[in-house]
Amino acid sequence: MFKPTVGPIIGHTTTNHARIFLRGKLQNNAPVFAGIRYRRLGEERWSQGVFAKLTILHDMSDVIALNNLAADTEYEYQAGWFSPMSPVHTVETVQELPLQWPRDIYRFRTQSSKAKIPRAYIVGSCRYLRMTAGVPSAPHLGDRIFASITNLAQQAEPPISAMLMTGDQIYVDDLNIIAPDREYKAILSKYRAAFSQPNIAKLMSGVPTYMILDDHEIEDNWPAKKSKADAYLYKNAITAYELYQASHSPAHELLASGQINRKLEHYWYQFAEGDIEWFVTDSRTRRNLSANDRRILDEEQEQALCKWLIHSRARVKFVVTSVMFYPDRKAHGDDAWKAFPEQRLRLLETIRTHRINNVFFVSGDVHGSLTSRLTHSADPDFEVHTIVSSPLCNSKLLPYAKASTFILDKPLARTAVGDYQHGLTSKVVSEDNFAHLTVDNEQIRINFHDRDGKLLQSTSIPLR
């Protein structure tokens, strides 16, 4: 067997289930299979291999589901791919073959079934990895921060439960002016290069990683500048996104057979860990830009989000939106929630009138990191927070955000019963960084670290 050409990537992981993405390679039209075997840390005997047949339709990749795992348990696993001599093999018959597995051993941990214990997460976005003629230019620059995240994850207590990548994991349009990528093969090549760099590959092989797209997975400020000719680009970009980012997420339902349902209804999804729940929105592909019903989330998604906010019993609710919920930018804010004030106000009023506590909006996009608190002038019980983490690696062509980037001297929204008022609860980080979130019984602590892992600043937000 050979090492995966991309991956393995640990995706959605629960107390008893884990999804692992990996890619092989086309072998002269011969059948190709990918496999995983695993065992509890400390055990000698490996499980029987779990296999999937790889096809060119999915760029020789697949997601293998491991089921019936034990909660709060560390597992070792090996992953690889091969092409058997006989063309008539199936995923069942290859289990009988005497395979020589790749030597690399990876580790992951299942969720704890305990509800009220401290948990920790990594949040980041906007990882620029420029490609020139199909080859990454100075890839170590776009990869170095992931070595720092891995180092933190290896020492963190409580352990890191997951990494949230909240948009712009790749830049399809990195050379948009000179040579824009529109072809499917070129976009796939970017994903392979971006996700196979050594540091990010090591991190994603052991830390469950949840992703959602933003505009650069398609085109800058998508879909505001969309033309008829962009239908071809969108089809290619979104197909690649589904393969490399959505495939290992909870957006795919798990069938009763233990296999993943390949049918994908939408890109937004939810997942939970104890008394903490996440709602990861798709704030990019379901936009309605018409003047009479502007929406950044489609109606179905807004209803699902409001229903979750109202009825979820989670003590802490994280809402991921790839673009900023607030504060608004003075310039270029029309690509974010600033341009959809009615829908934003509906969400805020839902939270306020239903007296929902501990709601945190998590986002990236702006190439600056911060925390901010939102209150209501006539309702002392209302409070929500935003946590922004961006970028993991900036382009020299793009500026970092600063405090002066944002509108901070005006209410976010005015209503008949009072104003929504906001202010920063941290400094604005204007360099490459990532966020380390720790949730305990009393507070959320947000630590921003630079690309070498150095602590830049720490903010604590009391839970209510």
Side-chain angles (χ1 to χ4, degrees), residues 186-255:
I187 298 171
L188 290 176
S189 178
K190 284 194 169 176
Y191 273 105
R192 294 174 198 152
F195 288 176
S196 60
Q197 298 304 314
N199 293 325
I200 192 174
K202 183 177 180 180
L203 175 65
M204 295 195 301
S205 71
V207 176
T209 304
Y210 294 80
M211 303 174 179
I212 193 66
L213 80 167
D214 198 22
D215 55 342
H216 292 290
E217 270 88 359
I218 308 165
E219 183 179 69
D220 187 34
N221 289 350
W222 181 269
K225 301 175 184 177
K226 180 176 67 172
S227 66
K228 288 185 178 179
D230 283 336
Y232 179 75
L233 163 66
Y234 180 77
K235 180 178 182 295
N236 291 336
I238 211 67
T239 302
Y241 166 76
E242 289 181 0
L243 287 181
Y244 280 90
Q245 297 198 56
S247 62
H248 46 82
S249 79
H252 286 275
E253 293 180 344
L254 192 67
L255 300 172

Side-chain angles (χ1 to χ4, degrees), residues 207-409:
V207 176
T209 304
Y210 294 80
M211 303 174 179
I212 193 66
L213 80 167
D214 198 22
D215 55 342
H216 292 290
E217 270 88 359
I218 308 165
E219 183 179 69
D220 187 34
N221 289 350
W222 181 269
K225 301 175 184 177
K226 180 176 67 172
S227 66
K228 288 185 178 179
D230 283 336
Y232 179 75
L233 163 66
Y234 180 77
K235 180 178 182 295
N236 291 336
I238 211 67
T239 302
Y241 166 76
E242 289 181 0
L243 287 181
Y244 280 90
Q245 297 198 56
S247 62
H248 46 82
S249 79
H252 286 275
E253 293 180 344
L254 192 67
L255 300 172
S257 64
Q259 299 301 308
I260 295 167
N261 186 355
R262 273 282 180 186
K263 189 176 181 182
L264 192 59
E265 300 290 348
H266 46 67
Y267 302 137
W268 48 270
Y269 58 85
Q270 302 169 40
F271 68 97
E273 187 181 25
D275 57 2
I276 301 167
E277 292 187 9
W278 296 76
F279 193 113
V280 180
T281 68
D282 168 16
S283 56
R284 188 55 70 176
T285 74
R286 298 288 189 97
R287 295 187 178 199
N288 185 344
L289 302 181
S290 64
N292 61 345
D293 186 28
R294 289 183 63 81
R295 293 176 177 273
I296 194 169
L297 310 180
D298 59 293
E299 185 175 0
E300 178 192 7
Q301 188 176 180
E302 180 184 345
Q303 289 177 355
L305 175 56
C306 288
K307 182 178 179 181
W308 172 78
L309 284 167
I310 294 167
H311 297 292
S312 167
R313 295 184 178 182
R315 184 173 59 97
V316 177
K317 299 181 177 72
F318 289 110
V319 182
V320 174
T321 164
S322 58
V323 294
M324 284 192 60
F325 194 68
Y326 78 90
D328 293 334
R329 299 170 73 182
K330 294 175 182 176
H332 310 298
D334 288 347
D335 190 46
W337 283 84
K338 177 184 178 182
F340 304 86
E342 295 87 358
Q343 189 172 45
R344 177 167 64 182
L345 184 58
R346 287 198 299 270
L347 290 178
L348 291 175
E349 286 289 274
T350 297
I351 295 167
R352 188 181 70 82
T353 57
H354 287 86
R355 301 192 173 280
I356 304 168
N357 291 327
N358 300 328
V359 178
F360 297 81
F361 287 89
V362 179
S363 61
D365 183 53
V366 295
H367 294 228
S369 295
L370 59 92
T371 61
S372 179
R373 177 173 177 256
L374 185 68
T375 58
H376 192 276
S377 62
D379 189 344
D381 292 330
F382 172 84
E383 179 180 290
V384 302
H385 295 263
T386 188
I387 301 168
V388 182
S389 181
S390 167
L392 291 163
C393 180
N394 204 3
S395 163
K396 292 181 179 179
L397 302 175
L398 299 172
Y400 290 100
K402 300 175 289 186
S404 59
T405 302
F406 305 102
I407 302 170
L408 300 170
D409 57 352

